[in-house]
Amino acid sequence: MSQPKSYRRVVRHVTTGFAAILVFLALILPDQITRLPPGNHWQTALLRIPIEALLAGAVLLLLPIRWRRWTAATLGLVLGALTVIKLVDIGFYAILARRFDPVLDWTLFDDGFNFLIDSAGRPSATAVAIGALLGAVLLIAGMTWAMLRLTVVAAGNRRLAWPGLGVAGVAWVALFLTGYQLIGGIPVASTAAADLARDTALALPKDLADKRKFLAEAQDDAYRDRPGDQLLTALRGKDVVVSFVESYGRDAVENPAFNGAVLTSLADGDKKLAAAGFAARSGFLTSSTAGGGSWLAHSTFLSGMWVNNESRYRSLVATDRLTLTRAFKNTGHRTVGMEPGVIFAWPEGSFYGYDQVYDKQAFNYHGPQLSWSPMPDQFVMSQFQKQEYAKPNRGPLLAEITLTSSHTPWAPVPSMLDWDQLGDGSVYGPMVKSAATPKEVWKDDARIRTEYARSIAYSVDSLIGWAAKYGDDNLVMVFLGDHQPASVVVGQTASHDVPITIVAKDPKVFDRIASWGWTSSVKPAADAPVWRMDTFRDRFLTAFGPEGDPH
């Protein structure tokens, strides 16, 4: 009989220890990998005292038996859910350089699933999604069991539990008051779970308050009611192309670990443009997003509003805020959106003020899809040339062109072809078939960075190549990055800055922006001005309006 009893005792000790470790790790786990101590000191993060454990322990010991079990189960459910949110936060910080918003960010999981399909295939993506869902359920269930188990043990050992809580409580207060920290600035007196619970609980009222404030700011628009004949007077008769280059961040031009291909592309671009009679000026903008969420950056740039979440975006497109594209429409320009990534109905097009939106189907592309990107950027520019820019006897044109070849997962990356070879896009078939697949590229972090840089170089080559070959004296081109790439390329401490460039032949265009201090090149200098992206609309409207006349 002693053997079974001894065995059961060991099992009880092991399960209790496991429950304690599970709860402890859930309480002290940071929501960012970067908040762990650096180097080989990560183990010191375990030397923490979570206040939540002390408070919960005291409450559970004080409660009568009939309430204790239900309270423990509830606390376990809450802690399990908070731990799931914390793990999601880790992923969000790694990809988007921000925390997960439990109210607004659910739609982004669909984008994440599509990315997994592109990089690993649908079966693997489905398996990961199912595994993540089951893992979340098991984690919440396991945390509930752990809290129940620890409550039973503590209630059965009150003589040890109360002194232990008292000593730990005194230690926590002393460490909190002294602000004692571990290596890497981590406080030993931990409030991590309580902070996350507070932030999660406040998310909804905070988002609602932000929405009201944002809508009020959107209505405060000095340019909304300005007549068309008082807008963009310096660009009358000009054809203006505004192009967003996907994931074209500051690191693409400044990070020596992988910027070689981009620097070569920009240097060649300067030469091509100069040979065709163009000049360029470049600076930096700070994007409202990073790692993804291109539509947030596009709306920030075009509307002059800081759009950094889905709620703000949805609120904005329901207003009559004047966008840059609509401003050109009001001056008599034909406004078109070249949107190869749009594959469903896109009602936002009317908010931006487009006369026509070219979605994926409108490009008449019959070649292979390049992972997430529906078609190569050079083909997009070729179709813009054929369907809009080369039209005879047309009026002035405003085109917003979204380039997608540099979208995650940066494979396969096409090569530049002769413009007369592109046809219906089927020429890309053999090229894509022989190129590296996302699955191959994403096995190696160094290769990810290399292919990212190659994709940016290709997008820039497509844009500048088109301007040098087809651009006439009336062309003014503005191109910029929408955001920095994911942290797998730039790390988690990179800025949100992106390059922006204006290209033109007419020197009067640059006279208008002489005070900006931008670099005379398609590559902005390291000390070039940096503005928030939402300030560009007003600066541009002012510079090229009546008040911006340098004479």
Side-chain angles (χ1 to χ4, degrees):
M1 293 294 292
S2 61
Q3 233 179 359
K5 286 184 179 179
S6 176
Y7 174 76
R8 285 195 295 271
R9 188 181 303 114
V10 170
V11 170
R12 285 198 300 270
H13 289 325
V14 169
T15 54
T16 301
F18 177 75
I21 292 172
L22 186 63
V23 170
F24 178 72
L25 291 177
L27 290 172
I28 68 166
L29 178 72
D31 59 359
Q32 299 181 52
I33 296 298
T34 54
R35 289 182 177 173
L36 288 172
N40 296 321
H41 303 288
W42 64 267
Q43 300 94 331
T44 60
L46 300 176
L47 304 176
R48 306 182 73 190
I49 303 175
I51 186 63
E52 303 86 0
L54 307 182
L55 295 176
V59 168
L60 289 169
L61 288 176
L62 289 170
L63 284 174
I65 295 176
R66 66 179 179 274
W67 291 107
R68 188 182 300 145
R69 183 175 180 83
W70 288 107
T71 303
T74 301
L75 290 174
L77 285 170
V78 171
L79 182 57
L82 287 175
T83 306
V84 171
I85 291 175
K86 200 179 292 188
L87 293 172
V88 174
D89 275 347
I90 291 173
F92 265 64
Y93 275 112
I95 303 299
L96 301 177
R98 64 173 178 84
R99 61 168 301 185
F100 168 67
D101 188 313
V103 178
L104 304 175
D105 285 335
W106 294 102
T107 57
L108 297 181
F109 286 105
D110 185 51
D111 291 335
F113 182 69
N114 290 332
F115 165 72
L116 283 175
I117 292 174
D118 290 338
S119 57
R122 183 171 291 275
S124 297
T126 302
V128 169
I130 293 173
L133 183 60
L134 288 176
V137 172
L138 288 174
L139 181 57
I140 293 172
M143 206 65 68
T144 304
W145 164 81
M147 284 297 299
L148 289 168
R149 176 63 186 164
L150 293 176
T151 300
V152 170
V153 172
N157 296 272
R158 289 171 176 269
R159 291 184 178 181
L160 294 176
W162 277 117
L165 289 174
V167 171
V170 170
W172 188 93
V173 171
L175 291 166
F176 178 79
L177 293 176
T178 59
Y180 185 77
Q181 296 181 340
L182 303 169
I183 296 171
I186 298 173
V188 176
S190 171
T191 60
D195 292 341
L196 179 60
R198 179 200 63 217
D199 293 342
T200 302
L202 293 177
L204 180 57
K206 180 181 176 182
D207 289 337
L208 291 175
D210 179 74
K211 182 176 181 177
R212 289 192 294 268
K213 178 184 176 183
F214 180 79
L215 285 172
E217 291 174 351
Q219 296 303 317
D220 184 17
D221 186 357
Y223 285 97
R224 183 179 59 186
D225 299 322
R226 185 168 295 193
D229 60 3
Q230 295 180 30
L231 288 169
L232 300 165
T233 52
L235 295 175
R236 295 293 164 80
K238 299 290 188 185
D239 296 314
V240 180
V241 173
V242 177
S243 184
F244 294 99
V245 179
E246 170 66 36
S247 299
Y248 179 33
R250 182 166 190 154
D251 278 57
V253 299
E254 290 188 348
N255 194 322
F258 54 81
N259 67 351
V262 180
L263 294 184
T264 298
S265 173
L266 294 175
D268 290 345
D270 271 330
K271 294 176 183 176
K272 289 177 183 176
L273 291 172
F278 286 99
R281 300 290 186 273
S282 299
F284 291 106
L285 300 178
T286 301
S287 177
S288 60
T289 185
S294 302
W295 62 95
L296 305 180
H298 295 187
S299 56
T300 295
F301 180 81
L302 295 172
S303 72
M305 296 292 297
W306 189 253
V307 185
N308 60 348
N309 60 51
E310 191 67 15
S311 176
R312 287 189 164 210
Y313 178 74
R314 292 298 169 192
S315 297
L316 175 67
V317 298
T319 69
D320 59 354
R321 177 83 177 182
L322 182 72
T323 62
L324 277 180
T325 44
R326 187 172 292 280
F328 277 99
K329 181 182 178 72
N330 292 348
T331 67
H333 282 68
R334 170 171 165 77
T335 55
V336 300
M338 312 299 290
E339 309 294 342
V342 172
I343 57 177
F344 302 110
W346 193 50
E348 294 95 319
S350 60
F351 162 74
Y352 287 115
Y354 296 121
D355 291 313
Q356 183 172 348
V357 172
Y358 289 83
D359 61 9
K360 177 183 176 181
Q361 300 303 319
F363 284 93
N364 299 317
Y365 177 70
H366 296 283
Q369 180 155 328
L370 291 85
S371 192
W372 188 93
S373 179
M375 64 197 73
D377 290 343
Q378 187 184 8
F379 185 86
V380 172
M381 297 307 301
S382 174
Q383 288 298 301
F384 168 63
Q385 172 67 22
K386 293 175 181 177
Q387 298 195 49
E388 287 290 341
Y389 194 75
K391 282 183 179 177
N393 304 317
R394 60 169 177 79
L397 182 68
L398 179 283
E400 187 270 292
I401 304 176
T402 301
L403 300 181
T404 62
S405 289
S406 52
H407 194 286
T408 315
W410 308 304
V413 178
S415 301
M416 289 294 291
L417 301 173
D418 187 281
W419 291 87
D420 296 328
Q421 287 184 295
L422 302 183
D424 65 358
S426 55
V427 67
Y428 291 104
M431 183 188 300
V432 170
K433 196 170 289 186
S434 62
T437 65
K439 191 177 293 187
E440 293 169 338
V441 168
W442 281 72
K443 291 177 179 178
D444 181 359
D445 286 355
R447 191 170 185 185
I448 292 173
R449 299 183 186 100
T450 299
E451 295 304 299
Y452 159 74
R454 286 185 61 231
S455 72
I456 294 294
Y458 171 75
S459 295
V460 170
D461 287 345
S462 299
L463 199 58
I464 292 178
W466 171 82
K469 182 175 179 63
Y470 297 110
D472 61 21
D473 293 349
N474 286 323
L475 176 65
V476 176
M477 185 166 69
V478 182
F479 70 92
L480 67 152
D482 48 14
H483 54 71
Q484 287 262 48
S487 61
V488 68
V489 176
V490 297
Q492 295 188 6
T493 59
S495 74
H496 284 204
D497 296 348
V498 298
I500 180 170
T501 298
I502 294 180
V503 174
K505 286 187 178 182
D506 186 353
K508 293 179 181 178
V509 170
F510 299 115
D511 291 341
R512 290 277 179 152
I513 63 171
S515 63
W516 290 5
W518 283 15
T519 308
S520 298
S521 169
V522 292
K523 176 187 177 297
D527 60 352
V530 181
W531 305 334
R532 277 195 10 158
M533 189 176 279
D534 58 334
T535 67
F536 182 82
R537 188 206 70 160
D538 285 6
R539 289 178 185 269
F540 189 84
L541 291 174
T542 298
F544 292 100
E547 63 269 50
D549 191 339
H551 305 297

